Amino acid sequence: MDSCVIPLRHGGLSLVQTTDFFYPLVEDPYMMGRIACANVLSDLYAMGITECDNMLMLLSVSQSMNEEEREKVTPLMIKGFRDAAEEGGTAVTGGQTVVNPWIIIGGVATVVCQPNEFIMPDSAVVGDVLVLTKPLGTQVAVNAHQWLDNPERWDKINMVVSREEVELAYQEAMFNMATLNRTAAGLMHTFNAHAATDITGFGILGHSQNLAKQQRNEVSFVIHNLPIIAKMAAISKASGRFGLLQGTSAETSGGLLICLPREQAARFCSEIKSSKYGEGHQAWIVGIVEKGNRTARIIDKPRVIEVLPRGAASPALALDNSSASSERTS
């Protein structure tokens, strides 16, 4: 499961806790802090939990950084982490900082819950619909951005994407990774979600398979649609890396994959885009739950939904592929 749930000795309460950390993947230290915090909290949100009682920060400063770099970069990472925690209605009260060969940032999120505050990820039923709340392709976007300064790598993809498109995709990925899944977690209760997980390091297929294994009923997940940041599918194909269309490309601080009753899914997708929750929330119906042996798969030719980055002009991102459709984020 995404978080551990530990029954407490007192009053029918449970302690729900999660930890996660990773290495920097964007150039902006402040945004890296926000992304790291969003990624930690996401494990709580995947269980429908919207409140967090406490956070700890885990921070490793690289020994290869000079003093000036440390003094500039470290406070920005800490500020980003704290700001995201505050947005999530919680606070960082402590943690641990060490010197290490690499920069690492992450943390621990803890909450004490009553049983009605969390949704165990094990109750999907035949006929449910799978909904995803962030587009895929973050790893591809981050790597493509790094390849702008690597002629050998850039030469492999520059026939399918422009520098401007890579920059836009990188900004979109960074924004999405820093967005909390808190709104989606709250709406899981409103629309009677049966199970959920967040999409991170094992890609959409890996996390779907893991969620399917947890189900009490004999069900399987079938994914038909893949919402992907525009042009990232083409980069994945051209580079021969990532496995984005196969669902194995890693994501960082990805969206929630939620099993919803069929009659609720479209309303969930509509509601999450409402302006009352702020900008940037999205959702797509990506698959179904059918009778099966607790496995997950992506169909042979999934429909790719090209998600246009904020600020992108539609003609500049004309689709090369008639099987794909496009949507602008809002």
Side-chain angles (χ1 to χ4, degrees):
M1 293 201 310
D2 292 301
S3 302
C4 64
V5 180
I6 305 162
L8 298 177
R9 295 186 297 276
H10 313 291
L13 299 172
S14 293
L15 177 76
V16 185
Q17 194 167 56
T18 182
T19 184
D20 208 343
F21 60 87
F22 48 61
Y23 309 102
L25 69 165
V26 298
E27 293 170 358
D28 183 329
Y30 174 79
M31 289 301 290
M32 192 61 239
R34 288 196 74 106
I35 291 165
C37 184
N39 193 61
V40 174
L41 287 169
S42 192
D43 287 334
L44 296 184
Y45 299 147
M47 300 194 64
I49 295 168
T50 58
E51 304 303 322
C52 175
D53 290 331
N54 183 58
M55 291 197 80
L56 303 175
M57 189 187 310
L58 304 172
L59 185 62
S60 155
V61 181
S62 173
Q63 61 198 27
S64 63
M65 296 167 74
N66 62 40
E67 192 172 343
E68 184 186 8
E69 288 169 335
R70 284 185 199 175
E71 287 180 358
K72 284 184 176 176
V73 169
T74 309
L76 286 168
M77 290 173 73
I78 292 171
K79 179 168 170 46
F81 195 99
R82 285 186 182 279
D83 284 357
E86 186 178 330
E87 185 185 323
T90 187
V92 181
T93 62
Q96 176 80 337
T97 305
V98 297
V99 177
N100 197 53
W102 311 278
I103 296 174
I104 297 173
I105 185 164
V108 180
T110 306
V111 63
V112 176
C113 285
Q114 294 179 329
N116 64 343
E117 292 181 275
F118 60 88
I119 298 169
M120 293 296 285
D122 60 4
S123 301
V125 298
V126 173
D128 276 356
V129 170
L130 301 174
V131 167
L132 181 67
T133 67
K134 288 183 186 178
L136 306 169
T138 54
Q139 185 192 42
V140 182
V142 164
N143 278 267
H145 189 255
Q146 293 170 353
W147 294 352
L148 291 174
D149 299 319
N150 183 329
E152 185 183 343
R153 292 273 170 84
W154 177 246
D155 285 349
K156 289 186 176 176
I157 64 170
N158 66 4
M159 295 297 286
V160 299
V161 68
S162 69
R163 286 180 170 269
E164 183 190 6
E165 287 164 346
V166 168
E167 286 285 358
L168 284 168
Y170 172 74
Q171 294 295 330
E172 181 68 18
M174 191 159 59
F175 180 89
N176 286 330
M177 290 187 289
T179 299
L180 301 184
N181 284 322
R182 192 182 188 192
T183 298
L187 293 177
M188 283 171 61
H189 294 270
T190 308
F191 295 101
N192 193 28
H194 292 151
T197 188
D198 63 330
I199 306 303
T200 51
F202 296 112
I204 190 170
L205 181 60
H207 287 285
S208 298
Q209 289 170 337
N210 189 47
L211 186 62
K213 286 176 191 170
Q214 310 300 322
Q215 300 311 306
R216 290 180 295 176
N217 297 317
E218 292 184 351
V219 296
S220 287
F221 299 161
V222 182
I223 296 169
H224 301 95
N225 302 324
L226 296 174
I228 295 173
I229 297 170
K231 294 289 184 175
M232 297 306 102
I235 291 175
S236 181
K237 281 183 189 173
S239 67
R241 295 166 174 256
F242 306 114
L244 188 53
L245 295 178
Q246 292 73 41
T248 56
S249 181
E251 304 291 334
T252 298
S253 189
L256 299 188
L257 181 74
I258 308 170
C259 301
L260 287 162
R262 181 182 296 275
E263 65 275 11
Q264 302 277 33
R267 288 172 57 213
F268 177 100
C269 293
S270 174
E271 178 67 15
I272 201 170
K273 295 173 187 173
S274 167
S275 59
K276 66 186 172 191
Y277 302 116
E279 284 190 16
H281 296 293
Q282 307 160 79
W284 301 266
I285 292 172
V286 296
I288 58 167
V289 177
E290 62 179 27
K291 188 169 178 56
N293 56 350
R294 300 183 180 88
T295 58
R297 65 183 176 90
I298 298 175
I299 62 170
D300 286 343
K301 292 185 178 178
R303 171 176 169 246
V304 173
I305 302 168
E306 296 255 327
V307 181
L308 300 180
R310 278 151 269 251
S314 299
L317 285 155
L319 299 172
D320 315 311
N321 184 330
S322 59
S323 70
S325 61
S326 70
E327 286 188 9
R328 181 180 307 286
T329 65
S330 59

